[in-house]
Amino acid sequence: QKEVEQDPGPLSVPEGAIVSLNCTYSNSAFQYFMWYRQYSRKGPELLMYTYSSGNKEDGRFTAQVDKSSKYISLFIRDSQPSDSATYLCAMGGRSGTYKYIFGTGTRLKVLA
Amino acid sequence: EPEVTQTPSHQVTQMGQEVILRCVPISNHLYFYWYRQILGQKVEFLVSFYNNEISEKSEIFDDQFSVERPDGSNFTLKIRSTKLEDSAMYFCASSDWDLNQPQHFGDGTRLSIL
């Protein structure tokens, strides 16, 4: 079983839709959960960073962590064409290591 | 907003040549990282660096790779004798004073080995 699994998409939605992006993971030792946005030929840009189970909201973005199910989600409300990008989940915080483990990324296209 | 900067944006090198990728991390950050992303694959960890030494490296980071912080601002990744399979995007990242702080990434260097 892969450490972090993420549906690669692509996911196409109309402008204004609510987008739901998800990742599952197998290692319960992960403590930190991140969502990065990556535009073509650019680096991962940090969107959300969460530690505990529950929800964290920032503008149109909500990150949700369910440690008991080993499942994280990113919701984008009122999606815009400028949200079209690849969204990467990443996990870290295991004892003794600083490295992040990334999902494959989900390609999102928001249609005007 | 402070950012991680990487140069060059694209490097083309002949197989067997040495290449140095450069990064300027965010100025008050203490932890530095290199990751790479082969086309169509996941971002994968190479090495972390703290207090002027490697704190962790992956199995990818073999003897052909080295990292250095030659001065107070730059952080470099050197590949001694490049192979075709080293072609990838290389991302530098940095984080603040402890493990709890998130890693911030640069825009990467696209390395093409011919």
Side-chain angles (χ1 to χ4, degrees):
Chain A
Q1 186 182 10
K2 292 181 182 175
E3 278 196 291
V4 178
E5 301 220 41
Q6 183 175 12
D7 188 334
L11 178 63
S12 291
V13 301
E15 183 175 357
I18 295 174
V19 176
S20 171
L21 304 166
N22 311 295
C23 285
T24 58
Y25 61 97
S26 57
N27 192 333
S28 58
F30 287 125
Q31 300 288 324
Y32 304 103
F33 306 92
M34 285 65 62
W35 286 97
Y36 288 87
R37 178 174 63 195
Q38 186 176 27
Y39 291 113
S40 182
R41 298 191 178 276
K42 293 286 191 179
E45 173 195 0
L46 182 67
L47 282 179
M48 301 291 280
Y49 174 75
T50 53
Y51 173 68
S52 56
S53 281
N55 293 354
K56 180 178 179 180
E57 193 173 312
D58 184 359
R60 295 185 296 111
F61 299 93
T62 299
Q64 194 173 76
V65 173
D66 183 347
K67 284 187 174 181
S68 62
S69 301
K70 299 192 186 72
Y71 188 89
I72 69 169
S73 299
L74 178 71
F75 298 96
I76 308 174
R77 285 183 298 284
D78 187 26
S79 55
Q80 303 295 309
S82 57
D83 295 327
S84 299
T86 297
Y87 289 80
L88 309 172
C89 65
M91 315 205 176
R94 291 172 297 177
S95 177
T97 176
Y98 298 99
K99 69 180 176 186
Y100 285 177
I101 305 297
F102 281 82
T104 52
T106 299
R107 224 163 20 109
L108 171 68
K109 188 161 187 178
V110 181
L111 306 169
Chain B
E1 183 167 326
E3 57 182 24
V4 176
T5 56
Q6 290 186 243
T7 54
S9 57
H10 188 197
Q11 174 80 46
V12 182
T13 301
Q14 292 287 331
M15 187 171 60
Q17 296 297 304
E18 175 182 287
V19 65
I20 297 176
L21 310 182
R22 302 180 192 280
C23 169
V24 178
I26 294 172
S27 65
N28 59 336
H29 283 188
L30 299 179
Y31 294 86
F32 313 112
Y33 314 85
W34 285 100
Y35 289 77
R36 79 172 185 191
Q37 186 176 30
I38 294 171
L39 188 64
Q41 297 186 24
K42 293 183 181 188
V43 175
E44 51 188 353
F45 171 81
L46 291 178
V47 66
S48 61
F49 191 86
Y50 170 71
N51 200 25
N52 276 322
E53 59 183 31
I54 290 173
S55 48
E56 184 181 4
K57 58 185 180 179
S58 72
E59 60 277 4
I60 303 166
F61 194 90
D62 62 20
D63 292 344
Q64 295 299 311
F65 291 87
S66 62
V67 289
E68 193 179 31
R69 187 151 163 84
D71 53 43
S73 59
N74 291 285
F75 180 50
T76 62
L77 174 69
K78 184 196 289 187
I79 309 175
R80 248 181 290 282
S81 179
T82 49
K83 307 188 208 42
L84 292 175
E85 55 265 36
D86 294 328
S87 296
M89 284 291 292
Y90 287 81
F91 295 110
C92 174
S94 68
S95 62
D96 210 336
W97 48 276
D98 78 0
L99 186 60
N100 296 331
Q101 304 303 310
Q103 296 173 22
H104 296 266
F105 285 74
D107 278 339
T109 293
R110 184 156 64 103
L111 179 61
S112 300
I113 307 301
L114 304 179

